[in-house]
Amino acid sequence: MPEDYPDPQELAGFARELLQRMGFKAQVEAGWGGDAYELKIHAGESDEVLIGRRGETLDALQHVFAKMVSRGREELLRVRVDVSEYRQRRTSELEEHAMELARQVRETGREVITEPMPAAERRIIHRTLSELPDVTT
């Protein structure tokens, strides 16, 4: 982590305080993951609320935390936020979905159009399918 970046524990403290003010009792762990801050949140029964529909609330929290840690800087520092390993589970689901789409394309010889999805999820689909020489996205 670059020397002039805030300590991850400052971000963890801010996240805990913000979540508490929002009415959530949560455990927050923070660290530096090579190119971004990483926040891991565990809020028990409130996890689903913090994740939101298809991760929308989680994305909003991530944006707020990135803005907070970047305050007073010209650059926006990267922050990855995960609640109870939701992002890991969602990535696995998307990779499996991509492979199922590839199977359909191979069987039918016809292209498949996915439902609209956020850019980050589209990247997972593209990355997964890019490893298959007989499928293009």
Side-chain angles (χ1 to χ4, degrees):
M1 178 173 81
E3 285 183 27
D4 63 331
Y5 280 24
D7 183 353
Q9 296 316 309
E10 289 180 45
L11 180 58
F14 173 80
R16 262 191 295 286
E17 184 177 331
L18 178 64
L19 292 168
Q20 183 178 13
R21 288 178 185 237
M22 293 170 61
F24 298 104
K25 185 176 180 182
Q27 296 175 347
V28 179
E29 299 171 32
W32 180 256
D35 64 341
Y37 288 96
E38 293 185 353
L39 277 179
K40 295 180 181 181
I41 300 171
H42 297 277
E45 293 180 9
S46 298
D47 283 346
E48 287 185 26
V49 175
L50 292 175
I51 293 167
R53 185 174 145 335
R54 301 190 92 196
E56 291 172 350
T57 305
L58 182 55
D59 290 339
L61 285 171
Q62 184 167 288
H63 180 75
V64 167
F65 295 143
K67 287 289 196 179
M68 176 268 158
V69 80
S70 302
R71 194 172 56 199
R73 298 177 169 278
E74 289 184 28
E75 64 189 301
L76 184 65
L77 303 179
R78 294 189 63 209
V79 176
R80 286 189 290 267
V81 179
D82 201 357
V83 173
S84 292
E85 290 81 38
Y86 168 80
R87 293 205 193 273
Q88 289 176 334
R89 289 191 314 273
R90 183 67 179 149
T91 296
S92 294
E93 290 170 3
L94 288 167
E95 290 169 345
E96 288 176 21
H97 181 61
M99 296 307 285
E100 175 60 24
L101 293 173
R103 185 191 61 74
Q104 288 176 17
V105 168
R106 287 179 180 130
E107 285 181 3
T108 65
R110 299 175 66 182
E111 74 178 30
V112 175
I113 298 174
T114 66
E115 72 280 356
M117 56 181 68
E121 292 188 355
R122 283 195 311 272
R123 278 192 295 277
I124 293 167
I125 298 287
H126 287 296
R127 186 187 69 234
T128 302
L129 295 178
S130 71
E131 298 171 8
L132 304 176
D134 58 334
V135 177
T136 59
T137 63

